[in-house]
Amino acid sequence: MKNLFQKILLSLMLFGLFFITTTDNPVLAQSPQSLYDRAWSLINLKYVDQTNNNQDWQRWRHKYDDVIVTDEDAYVAIETMVSSLNDVYTRFLSPKEYQEESASIQGKLSGIGVQIGVRNGKLLIIAPLEDTPGERAGLKAEDEILEIDGKSTKGITVDAAADKIRGQEGTEVKLLVKRGDEPAKLYTITRANIELKSVSTKLPENIVIAPNIGYIRLSSFISRNAAIEFKQALDNNKDKDALIIDLRSNPGGLLTNATYIADYFLNSKVIVSTVDRDGYKETSYSSKNTLTQKPLAVLINEGSASASEILSGALKDNNRAVIIGKKSFGKGLVQEINRMPGGGAMHITIQKYLTPSGTDINKKGIEPNITVDYTKKDVENKIDPQVAKANEVLLQQLDEN
């Protein structure tokens, strides 16, 4: 299970922290060679490291002139060129990959609302999303999907399975599912448009906190709606005296979401600074009006990255929250999404960012104020020592005040 989650987390990490931009006439068809040329030019113009990983970038300009014939040839050539930067966050997305990413940013997709993964050759449901056809049908975590529409899932990849399960709203998909030692059961589920929610106020199972303390989990900053959802969660917790904000395993997303949410808590303070390839530094400040002054505890772990680190770093450096958990991932780079001819896109690292204190956390992470482990044994025993510590710290603060 741990290895599976690590693979899922790694794929999510690639979302990183980004702006969205466009190229001129991005969907017009162009030759495969011009597609490669466009990728080369974008990196030459925008990549944060002007040395391009200490190499002569000109050597890539015409390297594949004689071999690029199809779009697929261009994709492979671009990926090879980009890999020379040794930057996993600068990458090319095929039209299909960009379409899927765009759906995540828009916060919507059509399907049944389950997260899936492959472990030991088995296609498993990681978790059904709340209030979706999959959850309403009774699907549960650890269910094994044996067949999709009558076809075996043996040897199937996650991407291929996702393609088969997704589909137009109102259509049906049939899943043959095995749960533990129970006989396999056939589920017929009608697909729907799924709203991908980034925020939940539901505590982890079997976890209890004081009734006057609120809990808000932010799972990602990817959706355009994340900051709006978070504000709604704050409104729903107006009766609470203090708040736990759970950013654990949140891989990041849109820079704007991180700054908007930080602005809810900070009064005329530095949120983050960005530095581009020319050394130009731009600083973002919060407004004068906060939404709440309630005590805060923020939970982070090794999977909290990018926008999660901007938010937790801003709250920590401004002494606005107590950070609890484990050191964060350490991604202090900003990507820009550039739409490409033919429907693909390029993620290009264009800036590094600094926390309010001027700290570059790339490959270093945010250190918590209070370090608390959360072990596999804790999961098995259905306890959460990090939430428990946050509850304890906030109650102590409330007593002191």
Side-chain angles (χ1 to χ4, degrees), residues 55-290:
Q55 63 177 315
D56 178 9
W57 194 241
Q58 286 291 333
R59 73 187 182 95
W60 292 100
R61 186 70 189 265
H62 300 289
K63 187 175 180 66
Y64 299 109
D65 284 359
D66 297 330
V67 296
I68 295 178
V69 178
T70 66
D71 285 348
E72 287 69 26
D73 294 337
Y75 298 165
V76 172
I78 292 170
E79 290 168 356
T80 303
M81 172 179 65
V82 169
S83 67
S84 72
L85 297 171
N86 195 29
D87 175 2
V88 296
Y89 305 112
T90 294
R91 60 195 182 104
F92 174 75
L93 280 71
S94 69
K96 178 184 175 183
E97 291 169 333
Y98 181 53
Q99 185 178 19
E100 292 174 352
E101 179 180 81
S102 297
S104 297
I105 293 172
Q106 295 298 329
K108 294 180 179 179
L109 56 81
S110 182
I112 64 171
V114 293
Q115 295 174 316
I116 58 175
V118 173
R119 184 174 77 237
N120 299 327
K122 297 179 180 180
L123 180 65
L124 300 177
I125 293 175
I126 305 304
L129 303 180
E130 291 183 45
D131 194 28
T132 60
E135 184 190 54
R136 290 192 289 270
L139 297 178
K140 296 183 178 181
E142 295 294 307
D143 282 351
E144 180 184 358
I145 303 175
L146 301 175
E147 294 180 0
I148 303 173
D149 287 332
K151 295 184 179 180
S152 172
T153 60
K154 186 175 181 180
I156 199 168
T157 65
V158 172
D159 287 343
D163 286 343
K164 292 178 180 294
I165 294 173
R166 293 175 188 154
Q168 188 175 353
E169 179 187 16
T171 60
E172 292 183 343
V173 62
K174 298 181 185 293
L175 303 180
L176 184 63
V177 173
K178 183 118 176 28
R179 180 175 301 158
D181 296 328
E182 299 176 14
K185 179 180 177 180
L186 184 65
Y187 290 80
T188 301
I189 306 172
T190 301
R191 299 180 178 99
N193 286 328
I194 308 298
E195 184 175 351
L196 302 176
K197 295 183 178 180
S198 303
V199 176
S200 173
T201 56
K202 183 179 179 180
L203 275 164
E205 188 177 0
N206 298 314
I207 304 303
V208 177
I209 60 176
N212 62 330
I213 293 178
Y215 172 86
I216 302 175
R217 166 145 179 78
L218 181 59
S219 58
S220 87
F221 293 78
I222 295 167
S223 168
R224 292 185 187 273
N225 301 322
I228 296 173
E229 289 180 36
F230 196 94
K231 184 179 182 300
Q232 291 172 342
L234 285 176
D235 291 340
N236 293 336
N237 279 277
K238 282 184 176 179
D239 62 329
K240 305 299 183 182
D241 298 322
L243 296 169
I244 298 172
I245 300 174
D246 192 345
L247 299 179
R248 292 176 297 181
S249 299
N250 181 324
L254 296 175
L255 175 63
T256 50
N257 281 330
T259 55
Y260 287 156
I261 294 173
D263 187 62
Y264 297 158
F265 302 106
L266 298 173
N267 186 351
S268 299
K269 301 291 186 179
V270 173
I271 296 175
V272 67
S273 297
T274 56
V275 182
D276 67 14
R277 59 186 274 149
D278 297 316
Y280 177 73
K281 182 178 179 181
E282 186 174 2
T283 300
S284 297
Y285 294 86
S286 62
S287 63
K288 294 181 179 180
N289 300 315
T290 61

Side-chain angles (χ1 to χ4, degrees), residues 324 372-375 378 383-390:
I324 297 171
V372 180
D373 287 329
Y374 185 25
T375 66
D378 293 328
I383 61 174
D384 191 329
Q386 293 171 341
V387 170
K389 175 56 72 171

